[in-house]
Amino acid sequence: MGQKKKYQGIVFGIMCSILAIAVISCNKDFLKALPDKNYSDTTSVAYGQRKVLYLIVDGARGVSVNSANVPNIKALLPNSIYSWVALSDPDSTRDVSNWANMLTGVKKEKHLVLNDNLTGANLANYPVVLQRIKDEKPTAKMVAFSSSAIFKNNFTTGATVSELFDTDEQIKTAVVNDINTDTASLILGHFNDIDEAGAKYGYDNSAPQYKAAIEKFDGHVGAIMDALKKRKNYQNEEWLVVIASSGGGKFAIPANQNDNTVFSNTAANTFTIYYSTRYKQRVIGKPFTGNRYLGKTVRLYGESVRAEIDTADVFNLGDTTKFTIELKVKKNADKFFWPSILGKRREWSAGHPSVGWVIYLEDAYWYFEMRGTKDGDYRQCRGADLQKGRWHNLSVKCEIRAGKRFIRTYTDGNFNNEMEITSSGSLDNNNPLKLGFLNGNGHGTPDVYVSDIRFFKVDVPDAVIGNYACETSISEGHPYYSFLAAYWPGTDGQGDKLKDVGPQARDFQLKGDYKWEDFNDLICPPPAEALAVFVPQTTDIPAQIINWFRIPNRQSWGLDGRVWLDQ
């Protein structure tokens, strides 16, 4: 079975997770929540009065907190649900948006908190969790302490007490004093020193000042937890302690740590800890992110670094030929404008002259473009968007159904588009097969890596394309291996050719000032939104708090978060 099947299993699991969340939402209550109406809350007698301590810390990358000396934070872990690879919104670039996620329980597409002025914000329809609690439990006392006026003025609505301080030290003292003297149901402390250190010195423990800020925050946690456990009525209370970062910070991680997924986005890397004496330990790690692909290949760049096969008649595509062409591509820029990456035609120019075909890049996506002997103009079938710096598998095939001929495109094994070419005629020509720049005018030049090129003289079925798209090589175990006209792994690592290990032995001759370069990447990683469901996100926290207070999560609230259980 191909690794693609493993990936499809992951996707199936993702869909099941999403369906499960939807079912929970449709039932209006999160797991463990009491019914919506007419109940008598006797659990405070049997199990203790439920309370929440919520500590938000800005700029703390999860991996940095984990590797720092944080004994007080780690002392909580045996009774915690936690993750060092939790996520904030990867597209959020402002603290204010991250705060809104953590307090409203919905993403920016709903709360619309996009700037420090909160222009156009939709907090009326998506209020902060403190207001949600106040609406359901009018007598609940809640307090909030922050050093940000924006935070205090916009994200503590519903708090009985909301105070502004100058330093994290003062906030820690305020939290401790409230724990010692008050009966609040929810205490919110917002800390910012780590973010300030990261912005000035770098968001990584290699910067001593950043690491010191993390360890100082750990001292604040120690003082706060010590005060909490010394409360006179602590044994009759049930505390949920939430400690979470609102976001990480931009930092250039080493190449061997970059998997080109959302988990390498240092600005989105957070940590989340849900602590309760009732919880068993559950650590939530990084999920499967794709197959590892490593080797040594050539960067096809500009007009000179390219490859071609002069005697390429075997790669002609007549008017009845079935074929499938597959290749791995990693581009080095976000957008391109019409550079060829693989093609067989006389030229690639404005006006699209000459019979033949070409696979090229346009904007963020790719195209298969062709012109047959009977075509008065060109035809093109679009693929999907390709992400910069990430390997993608591109597939294009020609199949015949009910006497009609069709071109179909696929990206990472997923079908993209189709066009009929029954009346196009033959694509045969006497031109070389060219990899990289194809001579002509009116188009840009490529900057890509290309490898694992497969040329089948058969229309490989969709299911097989899907199952094997994320494999990084092909062997006789492939069900259509015997139909291979050529196969260029493209990872030779040396020499002046990309060798064809297929039956024709038609090697690509490298041209220009080429260099063999090492790569070690992931192929076909799941999209960020799919990976994110496997780890805690900042938008989950309000749902977790609401659930802890046994407040029904109403479907009309439209919360985006989920509740994490310790099993």
Side-chain angles (χ1 to χ4, degrees), residues 269-567:
N269 172 218
T270 67
F271 76 96
T272 299
I273 297 172
Y274 296 122
Y275 165 85
S276 166
T277 55
R278 296 176 60 81
Y279 284 162
K280 298 176 183 178
Q281 186 175 35
R282 179 187 176 189
V283 57
I284 303 163
K286 183 178 175 180
F288 172 76
T289 55
N291 298 328
R292 181 60 60 180
Y293 187 28
L294 69 163
K296 200 168 190 177
T297 192
V298 171
R299 180 182 180 184
L300 302 172
Y301 182 78
E303 295 187 13
S304 61
V305 182
R306 53 192 173 84
E308 63 182 59
I309 301 171
D310 290 333
T311 307
D313 55 296
V314 70
F315 307 117
N316 270 331
L317 307 175
D319 57 359
T320 60
T321 304
K322 299 177 183 179
F323 64 86
T324 305
I325 302 169
E326 297 189 286
L327 62 158
K328 301 285 193 299
V329 175
K330 182 171 76 168
K331 64 181 188 179
N332 297 314
D334 289 315
K335 295 182 179 181
F336 288 90
F337 294 97
W338 317 297
S340 168
I341 54 176
L342 180 65
K344 188 178 187 298
R345 66 196 308 169
R346 186 184 71 243
E347 63 177 298
W348 175 234
S349 297
H352 310 267
S354 70
V355 170
W357 58 272
V358 63
I359 295 173
Y360 73 96
L361 303 178
E362 179 175 340
D363 201 87
Y365 42 90
W366 67 278
Y367 267 110
F368 177 82
E369 199 255 39
M370 53 156 282
R371 189 167 189 159
T373 54
K374 298 179 181 179
D375 282 329
D377 202 351
Y378 67 93
R379 298 171 183 253
Q380 56 185 23
C381 191
R382 180 171 166 172
D385 285 2
L386 308 178
Q387 290 193 1
K388 172 188 173 183
R390 178 178 296 183
W391 285 103
H392 289 277
N393 190 82
L394 281 54
S395 304
V396 57
K397 77 170 178 178
C398 179
E399 67 179 24
I400 298 175
R401 304 194 309 265
K404 295 183 178 181
R405 202 171 179 214
F406 298 88
I407 293 290
R408 292 168 65 86
T409 55
Y410 309 77
T411 304
D412 295 335
N414 300 308
F415 170 72
N416 301 141
N417 288 291
E418 175 182 276
M419 69 175 178
E420 184 186 346
I421 62 165
T422 307
S423 60
S424 290
S426 174
L427 303 184
D428 287 357
N429 59 65
N430 297 320
N431 305 120
L433 181 65
K434 294 187 176 183
L435 186 63
F437 181 77
L438 202 163
N439 55 289
N441 60 72
H443 59 80
T445 57
D447 183 5
V448 296
Y449 297 96
V450 179
S451 64
D452 193 32
I453 309 166
R454 312 168 189 179
F455 202 106
F456 297 88
K457 281 296 184 76
V458 70
D459 53 337
V460 176
D462 286 17
V464 177
I465 289 175
N467 284 343
Y468 288 87
C470 295
E471 295 283 0
T472 56
S473 63
I474 189 171
S475 68
E476 293 182 3
H478 190 288
Y480 287 83
Y481 184 83
S482 61
F483 291 91
L484 269 177
Y487 172 50
W488 302 273
T491 54
D492 306 68
Q494 60 182 351
D496 63 351
K497 293 180 175 63
L498 301 181
K499 293 183 179 179
D500 176 11
V501 298
Q504 302 292 331
R506 305 288 181 95
D507 298 339
F508 272 109
Q509 179 67 53
L510 288 166
K511 298 180 179 294
D513 186 21
Y514 58 86
K515 295 178 182 178
W516 292 96
E517 300 181 17
D518 292 314
F519 67 90
N520 186 350
D521 304 299
L522 293 177
I523 182 70
C524 300
E529 61 271 17
L531 288 172
V533 302
F534 289 109
V535 299
Q537 300 179 67
T538 50
T539 47
D540 295 339
I541 297 172
Q544 194 87 16
I545 292 172
I546 286 170
N547 174 262
W548 183 259
F549 280 128
R550 297 186 176 91
I551 295 173
N553 172 32
R554 306 184 192 285
Q555 189 175 12
S556 60
W557 292 351
L559 299 185
D560 292 327
R562 60 172 291 189
V563 172
W564 290 87
L565 305 179
D566 59 347
Q567 299 177 22

Side-chain angles (χ1 to χ4, degrees), residues 21-62:
I21 295 168
V23 169
I24 292 169
S25 297
C26 288
N27 287 336
K28 298 185 180 179
D29 302 337
F30 281 112
L31 295 171
K32 297 184 179 180
L34 291 180
D36 194 5
K37 299 178 180 178
N38 300 324
Y39 67 86
S40 175
D41 188 356
T42 60
T43 55
S44 61
V45 176
Y47 300 106
Q49 184 180 5
R50 292 205 160 187
K51 295 176 176 287
V52 170
L53 171 64
Y54 186 7
L55 304 182
I56 295 174
V57 53
D58 296 335
R61 287 177 57 205

Side-chain angles (χ1 to χ4, degrees), residues 85-379:
V85 290
L87 295 172
S88 64
D89 184 342
D91 297 322
S92 286
T93 59
R94 306 187 69 90
D95 286 340
V96 69
S97 296
N98 292 331
W99 298 337
N101 290 354
M102 298 184 82
L103 273 302
T104 66
V106 300
K107 297 180 179 179
K108 64 181 183 301
E109 289 77 12
K110 291 181 180 177
H111 61 62
L112 300 179
V113 176
L114 306 176
N115 55 67
D116 289 352
N117 296 324
L118 275 71
T119 305
N122 192 19
L123 296 181
N125 289 321
Y126 299 101
V128 298
V129 65
L130 282 70
Q131 186 62 56
R132 296 280 192 205
I133 296 169
K134 195 71 172 179
D135 291 343
E136 297 294 318
K137 296 178 177 289
T139 61
K141 183 174 183 180
M142 292 173 285
V143 298
F145 310 108
S146 174
S147 60
S148 165
I150 296 174
F151 187 98
K152 173 186 178 296
N153 294 335
N154 297 284
F155 301 111
T156 62
T157 306
T160 311
V161 175
S162 180
E163 296 183 352
L164 188 66
F165 294 92
D166 294 325
T167 67
D168 280 8
E169 183 72 30
Q170 293 173 338
I171 293 168
K172 179 264 296 183
T173 300
V175 171
V176 169
N177 287 342
D178 195 89
I179 289 172
N180 288 337
T181 62
D182 204 357
T183 58
S185 296
L186 185 148
I187 303 171
L188 171 62
H190 172 222
F191 297 82
N192 189 57
D193 283 358
I194 295 176
D195 193 37
E196 289 186 357
K200 189 173 182 180
Y201 301 105
Y203 290 89
D204 187 75
N205 285 349
S206 57
Q209 300 90 339
Y210 183 74
K211 184 179 180 183
I214 291 175
E215 293 173 354
K216 186 175 181 179
F217 173 73
D218 180 72
H220 296 333
V221 171
I224 291 168
M225 291 305 301
D226 184 60
L228 189 71
K229 293 178 180 180
K230 289 181 179 178
R231 283 173 62 90
K232 292 181 180 180
N233 203 35
Y234 180 72
Q235 297 302 322
N236 296 321
E237 298 171 334
E238 278 195 78
W239 283 89
L240 171 67
V241 178
V242 182
I243 308 175
S245 53
S246 60
K250 290 185 177 180
F251 182 79
I253 60 176
N256 62 359
Q257 296 178 20
N258 187 351
D259 64 6
N260 290 311
T261 73
V262 66
F263 294 106
S264 293
N265 181 348
T266 59
N269 172 218
T270 67
F271 76 96
T272 299
I273 297 172
Y274 296 122
Y275 165 85
S276 166
T277 55
R278 296 176 60 81
Y279 284 162
K280 298 176 183 178
Q281 186 175 35
R282 179 187 176 189
V283 57
I284 303 163
K286 183 178 175 180
F288 172 76
T289 55
N291 298 328
R292 181 60 60 180
Y293 187 28
L294 69 163
K296 200 168 190 177
T297 192
V298 171
R299 180 182 180 184
L300 302 172
Y301 182 78
E303 295 187 13
S304 61
V305 182
R306 53 192 173 84
E308 63 182 59
I309 301 171
D310 290 333
T311 307
D313 55 296
V314 70
F315 307 117
N316 270 331
L317 307 175
D319 57 359
T320 60
T321 304
K322 299 177 183 179
F323 64 86
T324 305
I325 302 169
E326 297 189 286
L327 62 158
K328 301 285 193 299
V329 175
K330 182 171 76 168
K331 64 181 188 179
N332 297 314
D334 289 315
K335 295 182 179 181
F336 288 90
F337 294 97
W338 317 297
S340 168
I341 54 176
L342 180 65
K344 188 178 187 298
R345 66 196 308 169
R346 186 184 71 243
E347 63 177 298
W348 175 234
S349 297
H352 310 267
S354 70
V355 170
W357 58 272
V358 63
I359 295 173
Y360 73 96
L361 303 178
E362 179 175 340
D363 201 87
Y365 42 90
W366 67 278
Y367 267 110
F368 177 82
E369 199 255 39
M370 53 156 282
R371 189 167 189 159
T373 54
K374 298 179 181 179
D375 282 329
D377 202 351
Y378 67 93
R379 298 171 183 253

